[in-house]
Amino acid sequence: MGSESDNGVVVVGGGVTGLTTAVVLAERGVRVRLWTRDPVGATTSAVAGALWWPYRIDPPEAARAWALESLGVYEEMALRPEATGVRMVEGVLGETPMDEVGGWAAARLPGLRPVTETEYPGGWGLWARLPLIDMPAHLPYLRDRLTAAGGTVETRTVADLAEADAPVVVNCTGLAARELVPDPSVRPVRGQLVVVENPGIRTWMVTEGADGAMAYFFPQPGRLLLGGTAEEDVWSDRPDPAAAEAIVRRCAALRPEIAGARVLEHRVGLRPARDAVRLERTRLPDGRVLVHNYGHGGAGVTVAWGCARRAAGLAAA
């Protein structure tokens, strides 16, 4: 291997976890190459909603710490929403008790309070002001921030992590870690969304019915994202028309004006679930350093900066 491979780090995986980890490393002065199978706009992360909230991620205590660390970064980004894709937006966390949140987040979320009947008719939950991230804007922002710090992005498919020609490799491959590591404990949780024209909704809402069915809507620039599903061990990335109809129906039950909104797009993403996030330093068979940072379930965006800083520390150790 020539001088190109004598130093630096290769980060494998171009979703929000890989991009954020690469940014942290590059801004610390490390020479970083990001290898991504898909263009940044075509990763699973590009499909995400994406509301800051630790959803479907374990272990809860660590996830909350990473989430709070990331919250500070997003609050700062929200000062420049056009550049970063991050805004602070108010909305309803349905069926969420204050004691579930109060112990870890209340001090950082000053507007947190029980909902009123006007805000959430017939239901109970919390009113919160949280970061809402427009992923088609946020991912290119991260990519540009990476290249501005001297990092590079290469589109390439990796069959083996050992292919990465650097002394330190960081694995941020999400669901692909199932085959690459290999780690059979990583499995998909399928999420489907419907994108519609926004009929004038400015707040978000996340709810769960008595039958466990989710309904949520997130106002993003120029559109409204409706969800959703959480189907464990389902690999299909094709939109299901029946699921789409059910999503619109559940969201319209919360806000009737959604019923007539024109459908712009259908999206499917496979969340990389695991019994616990894998964030650790190990070795490749030839002795080079390998850092794993994957298995974030439905909270990759939420914990991205906390996990990225931890991964960068492990890579530099």
Short mmCIF file of all heavy atoms in Angstrom, two decimals, residues 205-274:
data_model
loop_
_atom_site.label_atom_id
_atom_site.label_comp_id
_atom_site.label_asym_id
_atom_site.label_seq_id
_atom_site.Cartn_x
_atom_site.Cartn_y
_atom_site.Cartn_z
N MET A 205 -46.97 15.64 15.29
CA MET A 205 -47.67 14.80 16.26
C MET A 205 -47.20 13.36 16.09
O MET A 205 -47.00 12.89 14.98
CB MET A 205 -49.19 14.89 16.05
CG MET A 205 -50.01 14.19 17.13
SD MET A 205 -51.81 14.40 16.89
CE MET A 205 -52.02 16.14 17.31
N VAL A 206 -47.00 12.69 17.22
CA VAL A 206 -46.64 11.27 17.24
C VAL A 206 -47.59 10.57 18.19
O VAL A 206 -47.69 10.96 19.36
CB VAL A 206 -45.18 11.07 17.73
CG1 VAL A 206 -44.83 9.59 17.77
CG2 VAL A 206 -44.19 11.81 16.84
N THR A 207 -48.31 9.55 17.72
CA THR A 207 -49.26 8.85 18.58
C THR A 207 -49.18 7.35 18.35
O THR A 207 -48.61 6.88 17.37
CB THR A 207 -50.72 9.28 18.28
OG1 THR A 207 -51.14 8.67 17.04
CG2 THR A 207 -50.85 10.78 18.16
N GLU A 208 -49.76 6.63 19.29
CA GLU A 208 -49.86 5.17 19.14
C GLU A 208 -51.23 4.74 19.64
O GLU A 208 -51.62 5.06 20.76
CB GLU A 208 -48.76 4.47 19.92
CG GLU A 208 -48.72 2.96 19.65
CD GLU A 208 -47.47 2.31 20.22
OE1 GLU A 208 -46.38 2.90 20.11
OE2 GLU A 208 -47.60 1.21 20.78
N GLY A 209 -51.98 4.06 18.78
CA GLY A 209 -53.32 3.63 19.14
C GLY A 209 -53.31 2.46 20.11
O GLY A 209 -52.26 1.86 20.38
N ALA A 210 -54.49 2.12 20.62
CA ALA A 210 -54.62 1.01 21.57
C ALA A 210 -54.17 -0.31 20.93
O ALA A 210 -53.71 -1.23 21.62
CB ALA A 210 -56.05 0.90 22.05
N ASP A 211 -54.27 -0.38 19.58
CA ASP A 211 -53.86 -1.60 18.88
C ASP A 211 -52.37 -1.60 18.53
O ASP A 211 -51.88 -2.51 17.85
CB ASP A 211 -54.68 -1.76 17.60
CG ASP A 211 -54.52 -0.60 16.64
OD1 ASP A 211 -53.84 0.39 17.02
OD2 ASP A 211 -55.05 -0.67 15.52
N GLY A 212 -51.66 -0.56 18.98
CA GLY A 212 -50.23 -0.49 18.71
C GLY A 212 -49.88 0.18 17.39
O GLY A 212 -48.70 0.37 17.07
N ALA A 213 -50.90 0.54 16.59
CA ALA A 213 -50.64 1.17 15.30
C ALA A 213 -50.19 2.61 15.52
O ALA A 213 -50.79 3.36 16.29
CB ALA A 213 -51.89 1.14 14.44
N MET A 214 -49.12 3.00 14.83
CA MET A 214 -48.58 4.36 14.95
C MET A 214 -49.25 5.30 13.97
O MET A 214 -49.67 4.89 12.89
CB MET A 214 -47.09 4.36 14.61
CG MET A 214 -46.20 3.73 15.62
SD MET A 214 -44.47 4.09 15.15
CE MET A 214 -44.38 3.34 13.54
N ALA A 215 -49.31 6.56 14.35
CA ALA A 215 -49.65 7.62 13.42
C ALA A 215 -48.78 8.81 13.78
O ALA A 215 -48.65 9.16 14.96
CB ALA A 215 -51.13 7.99 13.51
N TYR A 216 -48.14 9.39 12.78
CA TYR A 216 -47.37 10.60 13.04
C TYR A 216 -47.33 11.46 11.79
O TYR A 216 -47.47 10.96 10.68
CB TYR A 216 -45.96 10.30 13.53
CG TYR A 216 -45.09 9.44 12.64
CD1 TYR A 216 -44.43 9.99 11.53
CD2 TYR A 216 -44.90 8.09 12.91
CE1 TYR A 216 -43.62 9.22 10.73
CE2 TYR A 216 -44.09 7.30 12.12
CZ TYR A 216 -43.45 7.87 11.02
OH TYR A 216 -42.64 7.10 10.23
N PHE A 217 -47.21 12.76 12.00
CA PHE A 217 -46.99 13.65 10.86
C PHE A 217 -45.97 14.72 11.24
O PHE A 217 -45.94 15.20 12.37
CB PHE A 217 -48.29 14.26 10.34
CG PHE A 217 -49.15 14.93 11.37
CD1 PHE A 217 -48.89 16.23 11.81
CD2 PHE A 217 -50.26 14.28 11.90
CE1 PHE A 217 -49.70 16.85 12.75
CE2 PHE A 217 -51.08 14.89 12.84
CZ PHE A 217 -50.80 16.18 13.27
N PHE A 218 -45.09 15.01 10.27
CA PHE A 218 -44.01 15.96 10.47
C PHE A 218 -44.05 16.98 9.34
O PHE A 218 -43.89 16.62 8.17
CB PHE A 218 -42.64 15.25 10.44
CG PHE A 218 -42.47 14.18 11.47
CD1 PHE A 218 -41.86 12.97 11.13
CD2 PHE A 218 -42.90 14.36 12.78
CE1 PHE A 218 -41.68 11.97 12.08
CE2 PHE A 218 -42.72 13.37 13.73
CZ PHE A 218 -42.11 12.17 13.39
N PRO A 219 -44.25 18.27 9.65
CA PRO A 219 -44.20 19.30 8.61
C PRO A 219 -42.75 19.62 8.22
O PRO A 219 -41.96 20.05 9.06
CB PRO A 219 -44.88 20.50 9.27
CG PRO A 219 -44.65 20.32 10.73
CD PRO A 219 -44.57 18.84 10.98
N GLN A 220 -42.41 19.36 6.97
CA GLN A 220 -41.10 19.70 6.44
C GLN A 220 -41.30 20.74 5.34
O GLN A 220 -42.41 20.89 4.83
CB GLN A 220 -40.40 18.45 5.89
CG GLN A 220 -40.08 17.40 6.93
CD GLN A 220 -38.91 17.77 7.84
OE1 GLN A 220 -38.49 18.92 7.91
NE2 GLN A 220 -38.39 16.78 8.58
N PRO A 221 -40.25 21.46 4.96
CA PRO A 221 -40.41 22.50 3.94
C PRO A 221 -41.08 21.96 2.66
O PRO A 221 -40.58 21.02 2.04
CB PRO A 221 -38.97 22.94 3.67
CG PRO A 221 -38.26 22.68 4.96
CD PRO A 221 -38.88 21.42 5.49
N GLY A 222 -42.22 22.53 2.32
CA GLY A 222 -42.89 22.18 1.08
C GLY A 222 -43.68 20.89 1.09
O GLY A 222 -44.24 20.49 0.06
N ARG A 223 -43.77 20.21 2.26
CA ARG A 223 -44.47 18.93 2.27
C ARG A 223 -44.78 18.52 3.70
O ARG A 223 -44.27 19.12 4.65
CB ARG A 223 -43.64 17.86 1.57
CG ARG A 223 -42.31 17.56 2.25
CD ARG A 223 -41.29 17.04 1.27
NE ARG A 223 -40.07 16.57 1.92
CZ ARG A 223 -39.13 17.37 2.41
NH1 ARG A 223 -39.25 18.67 2.34
NH2 ARG A 223 -38.04 16.85 2.97
N LEU A 224 -45.58 17.47 3.84
CA LEU A 224 -45.91 16.90 5.14
C LEU A 224 -45.63 15.41 5.07
O LEU A 224 -46.09 14.72 4.14
CB LEU A 224 -47.39 17.16 5.45
CG LEU A 224 -47.90 16.74 6.84
CD1 LEU A 224 -47.28 17.62 7.92
CD2 LEU A 224 -49.43 16.84 6.90
N LEU A 225 -44.86 14.90 6.02
CA LEU A 225 -44.53 13.48 6.06
C LEU A 225 -45.49 12.77 6.99
O LEU A 225 -45.66 13.17 8.15
CB LEU A 225 -43.10 13.26 6.55
CG LEU A 225 -41.98 13.28 5.52
CD1 LEU A 225 -41.98 14.57 4.72
CD2 LEU A 225 -40.62 13.10 6.19
N LEU A 226 -46.14 11.71 6.49
CA LEU A 226 -47.09 10.92 7.28
C LEU A 226 -46.53 9.54 7.52
O LEU A 226 -45.95 8.92 6.63
CB LEU A 226 -48.42 10.79 6.53
CG LEU A 226 -49.06 12.03 5.92
CD1 LEU A 226 -50.36 11.66 5.22
CD2 LEU A 226 -49.31 13.09 6.98
N GLY A 227 -46.73 9.04 8.74
CA GLY A 227 -46.29 7.67 9.04
C GLY A 227 -47.26 7.03 10.02
O GLY A 227 -48.21 7.67 10.47
N GLY A 228 -47.01 5.83 10.34
CA GLY A 228 -45.90 5.06 9.86
C GLY A 228 -46.11 3.61 10.25
O GLY A 228 -47.14 3.21 10.80
N THR A 229 -45.08 2.83 10.02
CA THR A 229 -45.12 1.42 10.37
C THR A 229 -43.82 1.04 11.07
O THR A 229 -42.81 1.74 10.96
CB THR A 229 -45.28 0.53 9.12
OG1 THR A 229 -44.15 0.72 8.26
CG2 THR A 229 -46.56 0.86 8.37
N ALA A 230 -43.84 -0.08 11.79
CA ALA A 230 -42.65 -0.63 12.44
C ALA A 230 -42.78 -2.15 12.38
O ALA A 230 -43.19 -2.79 13.35
CB ALA A 230 -42.52 -0.14 13.87
N GLU A 231 -42.45 -2.71 11.22
CA GLU A 231 -42.63 -4.15 10.97
C GLU A 231 -41.29 -4.86 11.15
O GLU A 231 -40.38 -4.69 10.34
CB GLU A 231 -43.16 -4.37 9.56
CG GLU A 231 -44.46 -3.65 9.27
CD GLU A 231 -44.76 -3.62 7.78
OE1 GLU A 231 -45.37 -4.60 7.30
OE2 GLU A 231 -44.38 -2.64 7.11
N GLU A 232 -41.19 -5.64 12.20
CA GLU A 232 -39.94 -6.32 12.51
C GLU A 232 -39.65 -7.45 11.53
O GLU A 232 -40.54 -8.19 11.14
CB GLU A 232 -39.97 -6.84 13.95
CG GLU A 232 -40.13 -5.71 14.96
CD GLU A 232 -39.77 -6.14 16.37
OE1 GLU A 232 -39.14 -7.21 16.52
OE2 GLU A 232 -40.10 -5.39 17.30
N ASP A 233 -38.37 -7.55 11.15
CA ASP A 233 -37.87 -8.62 10.28
C ASP A 233 -38.53 -8.64 8.91
O ASP A 233 -38.62 -9.69 8.27
CB ASP A 233 -38.03 -9.98 10.97
CG ASP A 233 -37.30 -10.05 12.30
OD1 ASP A 233 -36.09 -9.76 12.30
OD2 ASP A 233 -37.94 -10.34 13.32
N VAL A 234 -38.99 -7.49 8.44
CA VAL A 234 -39.55 -7.38 7.09
C VAL A 234 -38.53 -6.66 6.21
O VAL A 234 -38.12 -5.54 6.51
CB VAL A 234 -40.90 -6.63 7.09
CG1 VAL A 234 -41.42 -6.47 5.66
CG2 VAL A 234 -41.92 -7.37 7.94
N TRP A 235 -38.13 -7.30 5.11
CA TRP A 235 -37.04 -6.80 4.28
C TRP A 235 -37.51 -6.01 3.06
O TRP A 235 -36.69 -5.37 2.40
CB TRP A 235 -36.16 -7.95 3.80
CG TRP A 235 -35.28 -8.50 4.88
CD1 TRP A 235 -35.57 -9.50 5.74
CD2 TRP A 235 -33.96 -8.06 5.21
NE1 TRP A 235 -34.52 -9.72 6.60
CE2 TRP A 235 -33.51 -8.86 6.29
CE3 TRP A 235 -33.10 -7.09 4.70
CZ2 TRP A 235 -32.25 -8.70 6.87
CZ3 TRP A 235 -31.85 -6.93 5.28
CH2 TRP A 235 -31.44 -7.74 6.35
N SER A 236 -38.77 -6.04 2.74
CA SER A 236 -39.25 -5.39 1.52
C SER A 236 -39.11 -3.87 1.59
O SER A 236 -39.53 -3.24 2.56
CB SER A 236 -40.72 -5.74 1.27
OG SER A 236 -41.23 -4.94 0.21
N ASP A 237 -38.54 -3.29 0.53
CA ASP A 237 -38.45 -1.83 0.47
C ASP A 237 -39.45 -1.25 -0.54
O ASP A 237 -39.34 -0.10 -0.95
CB ASP A 237 -37.03 -1.37 0.15
CG ASP A 237 -36.53 -1.91 -1.18
OD1 ASP A 237 -37.29 -2.62 -1.88
OD2 ASP A 237 -35.37 -1.60 -1.54
N ARG A 238 -40.42 -2.08 -0.92
CA ARG A 238 -41.47 -1.61 -1.83
C ARG A 238 -42.65 -1.08 -1.02
O ARG A 238 -43.11 -1.75 -0.08
CB ARG A 238 -41.97 -2.76 -2.73
CG ARG A 238 -40.92 -3.30 -3.69
CD ARG A 238 -41.46 -4.53 -4.41
NE ARG A 238 -42.62 -4.19 -5.23
CZ ARG A 238 -42.53 -3.94 -6.54
NH1 ARG A 238 -41.36 -3.97 -7.15
NH2 ARG A 238 -43.62 -3.65 -7.24
N PRO A 239 -43.16 0.10 -1.36
CA PRO A 239 -44.32 0.63 -0.65
C PRO A 239 -45.54 -0.28 -0.80
O PRO A 239 -45.79 -0.83 -1.87
CB PRO A 239 -44.57 1.98 -1.33
CG PRO A 239 -43.27 2.34 -1.96
CD PRO A 239 -42.64 1.04 -2.37
N ASP A 240 -46.26 -0.48 0.29
CA ASP A 240 -47.46 -1.30 0.32
C ASP A 240 -48.67 -0.35 0.22
O ASP A 240 -48.89 0.45 1.12
CB ASP A 240 -47.49 -2.09 1.62
CG ASP A 240 -48.77 -2.90 1.80
OD1 ASP A 240 -49.73 -2.70 1.02
OD2 ASP A 240 -48.82 -3.72 2.72
N PRO A 241 -49.45 -0.43 -0.87
CA PRO A 241 -50.58 0.50 -1.05
C PRO A 241 -51.59 0.45 0.11
O PRO A 241 -52.11 1.48 0.51
CB PRO A 241 -51.23 0.04 -2.36
CG PRO A 241 -50.14 -0.68 -3.09
CD PRO A 241 -49.30 -1.33 -2.04
N ALA A 242 -51.85 -0.75 0.64
CA ALA A 242 -52.80 -0.88 1.75
C ALA A 242 -52.25 -0.19 2.99
O ALA A 242 -52.98 0.50 3.72
CB ALA A 242 -53.09 -2.34 2.04
N ALA A 243 -50.94 -0.35 3.26
CA ALA A 243 -50.32 0.32 4.41
C ALA A 243 -50.37 1.83 4.23
O ALA A 243 -50.62 2.58 5.18
CB ALA A 243 -48.88 -0.15 4.57
N ALA A 244 -50.14 2.29 2.99
CA ALA A 244 -50.18 3.73 2.71
C ALA A 244 -51.57 4.30 2.99
O ALA A 244 -51.70 5.36 3.62
CB ALA A 244 -49.77 4.00 1.26
N GLU A 245 -52.60 3.60 2.55
CA GLU A 245 -53.98 4.05 2.80
C GLU A 245 -54.27 4.11 4.30
O GLU A 245 -54.90 5.06 4.78
CB GLU A 245 -54.97 3.10 2.13
CG GLU A 245 -55.08 3.28 0.62
CD GLU A 245 -56.08 2.30 0.01
OE1 GLU A 245 -56.98 1.82 0.74
OE2 GLU A 245 -55.96 2.02 -1.20
N ALA A 246 -53.80 3.12 5.03
CA ALA A 246 -54.02 3.07 6.47
C ALA A 246 -53.29 4.22 7.18
O ALA A 246 -53.82 4.81 8.13
CB ALA A 246 -53.57 1.73 7.03
N ILE A 247 -52.09 4.54 6.70
CA ILE A 247 -51.32 5.64 7.28
C ILE A 247 -52.08 6.96 7.11
O ILE A 247 -52.25 7.74 8.06
CB ILE A 247 -49.92 5.73 6.64
CG1 ILE A 247 -49.03 4.58 7.15
CG2 ILE A 247 -49.25 7.08 6.93
CD1 ILE A 247 -47.75 4.39 6.36
N VAL A 248 -52.55 7.21 5.90
CA VAL A 248 -53.29 8.46 5.63
C VAL A 248 -54.56 8.50 6.48
O VAL A 248 -54.90 9.53 7.07
CB VAL A 248 -53.63 8.58 4.13
CG1 VAL A 248 -54.53 9.79 3.88
CG2 VAL A 248 -52.35 8.68 3.30
N ARG A 249 -55.23 7.36 6.59
CA ARG A 249 -56.48 7.29 7.37
C ARG A 249 -56.22 7.61 8.85
O ARG A 249 -56.96 8.38 9.47
CB ARG A 249 -57.11 5.91 7.21
CG ARG A 249 -58.53 5.78 7.76
CD ARG A 249 -59.20 4.50 7.27
NE ARG A 249 -58.45 3.31 7.64
CZ ARG A 249 -57.85 2.49 6.77
NH1 ARG A 249 -57.90 2.74 5.47
NH2 ARG A 249 -57.20 1.42 7.18
N ARG A 250 -55.15 7.02 9.43
CA ARG A 250 -54.84 7.27 10.84
C ARG A 250 -54.45 8.72 11.08
O ARG A 250 -54.85 9.33 12.08
CB ARG A 250 -53.71 6.34 11.32
CG ARG A 250 -54.10 4.87 11.38
CD ARG A 250 -53.12 4.06 12.22
NE ARG A 250 -51.77 4.05 11.69
CZ ARG A 250 -51.30 3.15 10.82
NH1 ARG A 250 -52.11 2.19 10.37
NH2 ARG A 250 -50.05 3.19 10.42
N CYS A 251 -53.69 9.30 10.16
CA CYS A 251 -53.27 10.70 10.32
C CYS A 251 -54.45 11.65 10.13
O CYS A 251 -54.57 12.66 10.84
CB CYS A 251 -52.15 11.03 9.33
SG CYS A 251 -50.58 10.22 9.71
N ALA A 252 -55.36 11.31 9.19
CA ALA A 252 -56.53 12.16 8.95
C ALA A 252 -57.50 12.12 10.14
O ALA A 252 -58.25 13.07 10.37
CB ALA A 252 -57.23 11.73 7.68
N ALA A 253 -57.45 11.04 10.91
CA ALA A 253 -58.29 10.96 12.11
C ALA A 253 -57.81 11.97 13.15
O ALA A 253 -58.59 12.43 14.00
CB ALA A 253 -58.25 9.54 12.69
N LEU A 254 -56.51 12.33 13.08
CA LEU A 254 -55.95 13.31 14.00
C LEU A 254 -56.13 14.74 13.49
O LEU A 254 -56.40 15.66 14.25
CB LEU A 254 -54.45 13.03 14.21
CG LEU A 254 -54.10 11.65 14.78
CD1 LEU A 254 -52.61 11.38 14.64
CD2 LEU A 254 -54.52 11.54 16.24
N ARG A 255 -55.94 14.90 12.17
CA ARG A 255 -56.11 16.21 11.53
C ARG A 255 -56.87 15.99 10.23
O ARG A 255 -56.29 15.55 9.22
CB ARG A 255 -54.74 16.85 11.24
CG ARG A 255 -53.96 17.28 12.47
CD ARG A 255 -54.59 18.47 13.20
NE ARG A 255 -54.52 19.69 12.44
CZ ARG A 255 -53.57 20.63 12.59
NH1 ARG A 255 -52.59 20.46 13.45
NH2 ARG A 255 -53.60 21.74 11.88
N PRO A 256 -58.19 16.26 10.22
CA PRO A 256 -59.05 15.93 9.08
C PRO A 256 -58.58 16.51 7.75
O PRO A 256 -58.83 15.92 6.69
CB PRO A 256 -60.41 16.51 9.48
CG PRO A 256 -60.39 16.51 10.97
CD PRO A 256 -58.96 16.80 11.35
N GLU A 257 -57.89 17.66 7.78
CA GLU A 257 -57.47 18.28 6.51
C GLU A 257 -56.44 17.43 5.76
O GLU A 257 -56.20 17.64 4.56
CB GLU A 257 -56.92 19.69 6.76
CG GLU A 257 -55.71 19.79 7.66
CD GLU A 257 -56.03 20.02 9.12
OE1 GLU A 257 -56.93 19.32 9.65
OE2 GLU A 257 -55.39 20.88 9.75
N ILE A 258 -55.83 16.47 6.45
CA ILE A 258 -54.86 15.58 5.79
C ILE A 258 -55.56 14.68 4.77
O ILE A 258 -54.96 14.30 3.75
CB ILE A 258 -54.10 14.74 6.83
CG1 ILE A 258 -53.12 15.64 7.62
CG2 ILE A 258 -53.34 13.58 6.20
CD1 ILE A 258 -52.44 14.96 8.78
N ALA A 259 -56.83 14.38 4.99
CA ALA A 259 -57.54 13.41 4.14
C ALA A 259 -57.51 13.79 2.67
O ALA A 259 -57.39 12.93 1.79
CB ALA A 259 -58.99 13.27 4.62
N GLY A 260 -57.58 15.08 2.36
CA GLY A 260 -57.64 15.50 0.96
C GLY A 260 -56.31 15.94 0.39
O GLY A 260 -56.26 16.43 -0.75
N ALA A 261 -55.23 15.79 1.15
CA ALA A 261 -53.93 16.26 0.68
C ALA A 261 -53.40 15.41 -0.47
O ALA A 261 -53.49 14.18 -0.43
CB ALA A 261 -52.93 16.27 1.84
N ARG A 262 -52.84 16.06 -1.47
CA ARG A 262 -52.33 15.33 -2.64
C ARG A 262 -51.06 14.56 -2.27
O ARG A 262 -50.14 15.11 -1.66
CB ARG A 262 -52.03 16.32 -3.77
CG ARG A 262 -51.62 15.65 -5.08
CD ARG A 262 -51.67 16.64 -6.23
NE ARG A 262 -50.58 17.62 -6.14
CZ ARG A 262 -49.42 17.49 -6.78
NH1 ARG A 262 -49.18 16.43 -7.54
NH2 ARG A 262 -48.49 18.43 -6.66
N VAL A 263 -51.03 13.29 -2.64
CA VAL A 263 -49.86 12.45 -2.35
C VAL A 263 -48.75 12.78 -3.34
O VAL A 263 -48.95 12.81 -4.56
CB VAL A 263 -50.23 10.95 -2.44
CG1 VAL A 263 -48.98 10.08 -2.29
CG2 VAL A 263 -51.26 10.59 -1.37
N LEU A 264 -47.56 13.04 -2.80
CA LEU A 264 -46.39 13.38 -3.62
C LEU A 264 -45.45 12.20 -3.81
O LEU A 264 -44.81 12.07 -4.85
CB LEU A 264 -45.61 14.53 -2.97
CG LEU A 264 -46.37 15.84 -2.71
CD1 LEU A 264 -45.48 16.83 -1.97
CD2 LEU A 264 -46.88 16.44 -4.02
N GLU A 265 -45.38 11.33 -2.79
CA GLU A 265 -44.35 10.29 -2.82
C GLU A 265 -44.63 9.25 -1.76
O GLU A 265 -45.28 9.53 -0.75
CB GLU A 265 -43.00 10.97 -2.54
CG GLU A 265 -41.77 10.11 -2.69
CD GLU A 265 -40.51 10.84 -2.21
OE1 GLU A 265 -40.56 12.06 -1.93
OE2 GLU A 265 -39.47 10.16 -2.11
N HIS A 266 -44.15 8.02 -2.00
CA HIS A 266 -44.18 6.96 -0.99
C HIS A 266 -42.74 6.58 -0.67
O HIS A 266 -41.90 6.49 -1.56
CB HIS A 266 -44.94 5.73 -1.51
CG HIS A 266 -46.39 5.99 -1.77
ND1 HIS A 266 -47.35 5.92 -0.80
CD2 HIS A 266 -47.02 6.36 -2.92
CE1 HIS A 266 -48.53 6.21 -1.33
NE2 HIS A 266 -48.35 6.49 -2.61
N ARG A 267 -42.45 6.37 0.62
CA ARG A 267 -41.08 6.03 1.03
C ARG A 267 -41.09 4.81 1.95
O ARG A 267 -42.01 4.64 2.75
CB ARG A 267 -40.43 7.19 1.79
CG ARG A 267 -40.22 8.45 0.99
CD ARG A 267 -39.52 9.48 1.86
NE ARG A 267 -39.36 10.77 1.22
CZ ARG A 267 -38.90 11.85 1.84
NH1 ARG A 267 -38.56 11.77 3.12
NH2 ARG A 267 -38.78 12.99 1.20
N VAL A 268 -40.02 4.02 1.84
CA VAL A 268 -39.82 2.89 2.75
C VAL A 268 -38.37 2.90 3.22
O VAL A 268 -37.46 3.09 2.42
CB VAL A 268 -40.14 1.54 2.07
CG1 VAL A 268 -39.78 0.38 2.99
CG2 VAL A 268 -41.61 1.46 1.67
N GLY A 269 -38.17 2.72 4.52
CA GLY A 269 -36.82 2.61 5.06
C GLY A 269 -36.76 1.44 6.02
O GLY A 269 -37.74 1.11 6.69
N LEU A 270 -35.60 0.79 6.05
CA LEU A 270 -35.42 -0.35 6.96
C LEU A 270 -34.52 0.08 8.11
O LEU A 270 -33.31 0.24 7.94
CB LEU A 270 -34.81 -1.55 6.20
CG LEU A 270 -35.58 -2.01 4.96
CD1 LEU A 270 -34.87 -3.18 4.30
CD2 LEU A 270 -37.02 -2.38 5.30
N ARG A 271 -35.11 0.25 9.28
CA ARG A 271 -34.33 0.67 10.46
C ARG A 271 -33.41 -0.47 10.89
O ARG A 271 -33.85 -1.62 10.98
CB ARG A 271 -35.26 1.03 11.61
CG ARG A 271 -36.33 2.08 11.28
CD ARG A 271 -37.25 2.26 12.47
NE ARG A 271 -38.35 3.18 12.23
CZ ARG A 271 -39.57 2.81 11.86
NH1 ARG A 271 -39.86 1.53 11.65
NH2 ARG A 271 -40.52 3.72 11.70
N PRO A 272 -32.15 -0.16 11.21
CA PRO A 272 -31.21 -1.22 11.62
C PRO A 272 -31.31 -1.51 13.13
O PRO A 272 -30.63 -0.89 13.94
CB PRO A 272 -29.84 -0.64 11.26
CG PRO A 272 -30.05 0.85 11.39
CD PRO A 272 -31.48 1.14 11.07
N ALA A 273 -32.17 -2.43 13.49
CA ALA A 273 -32.41 -2.72 14.91
C ALA A 273 -31.41 -3.75 15.43
O ALA A 273 -30.90 -4.59 14.69
CB ALA A 273 -33.83 -3.24 15.10
N ARG A 274 -31.16 -3.65 16.74
CA ARG A 274 -30.27 -4.59 17.43
C ARG A 274 -30.65 -4.56 18.90
O ARG A 274 -31.20 -3.58 19.38
CB ARG A 274 -28.81 -4.16 17.22
CG ARG A 274 -27.76 -5.22 17.54
CD ARG A 274 -26.38 -4.71 17.15
NE ARG A 274 -25.35 -5.74 17.37
CZ ARG A 274 -24.71 -5.92 18.53
NH1 ARG A 274 -25.00 -5.14 19.57
NH2 ARG A 274 -23.80 -6.87 18.65
#
